[in-house]
Amino acid sequence: SQQGEEDPQALSIQEGENATMNCSYKTSINNLQWYRQNSGRGLVHLILIRSNEREKHSGRLRVTLDTSKKSSSLLITASRAADTASYFCATDGTSGTYKYIFGTGTRLKVLA
Amino acid sequence: GAVVSQHPSWVICKSGTSVKIECRSLDFQATTMFWYRQFPKQSLMLMATSNEGSKATYEQGVEKDKFLINHASLTLSTLTVTSAHPEDSSFYICSARKVSGRAFGPYNEQFFGPGTRLTVL
């Protein structure tokens, strides 16, 4: 089952611009994680944000979480061509199973 | 660190054969591991939860007899695709949950393997 929906499905921007991706989920969560995946490769963990947190930063990445709206956003500032990848959010529910369910993903293309 | 490996990284097999994929947590113990499948240009779909010393829990629509999961130790889970067919060709990724000493609560760290690309001819 797919927990999260991400939008946009695809995003194309110029190098130096900011990229914003949104993730919405359906049930209450403990944690939300963002991952990057280059074509045909494994996942790279970006940020974990807990349900009691509202915002986290890591380098050029900024993640927000709004549990009342069941949504999260990932902002990449000053994007680079190397940021071209698919980005996924993943959420774990509160049922105690610890499993992460992935969103549909956003394909980001940064043009040099 | 927390490193998860998968073996093999890619495999090509003939239709009807069985293929075993290993997922290992290299520097931590994992009582729970998860298996995902990803088709081209799609997201990761959770297949099953692998529990050390007990039966795996499968997601709805995943055939238990088709995808055999064994979690024999705290550092190893295996996924066997039995009687593989071309439609089973996919990218299989595992994750391992790190036991952090916090039994419950909001802390749920999982680490993903690099994936195994299965091609069934």
Side-chain angles (χ1 to χ4, degrees):
Chain A
S1 61
Q2 208 84 44
Q3 160 79 308
E5 296 285 334
E6 291 177 65
D7 85 278
Q9 289 188 350
L11 179 62
S12 186
I13 59 173
Q14 295 291 325
E15 212 169 24
E17 294 180 339
N18 295 342
T20 300
M21 288 158 266
N22 302 295
C23 166
S24 60
Y25 55 91
K26 298 174 184 173
T27 62
S28 297
I29 63 170
N30 284 324
N31 304 276
L32 185 146
Q33 304 198 74
W34 283 92
Y35 291 89
R36 184 183 75 222
Q37 185 182 37
N38 290 86
S39 181
R41 307 290 293 274
L43 296 174
V44 174
H45 179 257
L46 298 176
I47 288 182
L48 180 152
I49 186 165
R50 302 180 196 182
S51 59
N52 61 351
E53 298 175 317
R54 290 296 164 260
E55 189 172 312
K56 285 190 90 168
H57 297 256
S58 177
R60 293 183 297 113
L61 306 180
R62 173 176 168 254
V63 167
T64 62
L65 178 64
D66 187 335
T67 53
S68 67
K69 295 182 180 178
K70 292 187 172 58
S71 68
S72 174
S73 68
L74 169 66
L75 169 67
I76 304 174
T77 60
S79 63
R80 306 166 181 167
D83 295 328
T84 295
S86 290
Y87 291 82
F88 297 96
C89 67
T91 54
D92 67 349
T94 55
S95 63
T97 60
Y98 306 113
K99 58 186 180 183
Y100 276 98
I101 305 297
F102 280 74
T104 50
T106 294
R107 291 193 304 279
L108 172 66
K109 189 170 186 178
V110 182
L111 304 170
Chain B
V3 180
V4 177
S5 70
Q6 282 184 239
H7 178 80
S9 55
W10 59 270
V11 56
I12 301 173
C13 69
K14 292 182 179 179
S15 187
T17 60
S18 293
V19 175
K20 181 185 282 188
I21 302 170
E22 293 184 349
C23 176
R24 290 182 187 273
S25 55
L26 298 185
D27 52 0
F28 67 100
Q29 293 182 329
T31 55
T32 307
M33 293 184 175
F34 302 88
W35 287 96
Y36 295 83
R37 180 168 55 179
Q38 185 181 33
F39 293 108
K41 297 191 187 302
Q42 294 188 23
S43 185
L44 282 75
M45 297 296 292
L46 179 66
M47 299 175 67
T49 302
S50 172
N51 301 298
E52 187 266 336
S54 65
K55 290 183 179 180
T57 304
Y58 291 81
E59 295 298 303
Q60 193 172 8
V62 178
E63 298 174 59
K64 301 178 185 181
D65 297 330
K66 174 78 173 173
F67 299 100
L68 301 179
I69 291 172
N70 184 275
H71 195 150
S73 77
L74 287 172
T75 59
L76 173 65
S77 174
T78 60
L79 168 69
T80 301
V81 183
T82 62
S83 187
H85 288 97
E87 57 265 31
D88 298 322
S89 298
S90 189
F91 194 50
Y92 292 86
I93 305 176
C94 70
S95 72
R97 178 170 181 264
K98 185 174 182 180
V99 180
S100 62
R102 309 180 198 203
F104 298 102
Y107 201 68
N108 181 12
E109 273 194 307
Q110 292 183 26
F111 300 89
F112 283 80
T116 296
R117 187 161 301 285
L118 170 63
T119 302
V120 184
L121 302 177

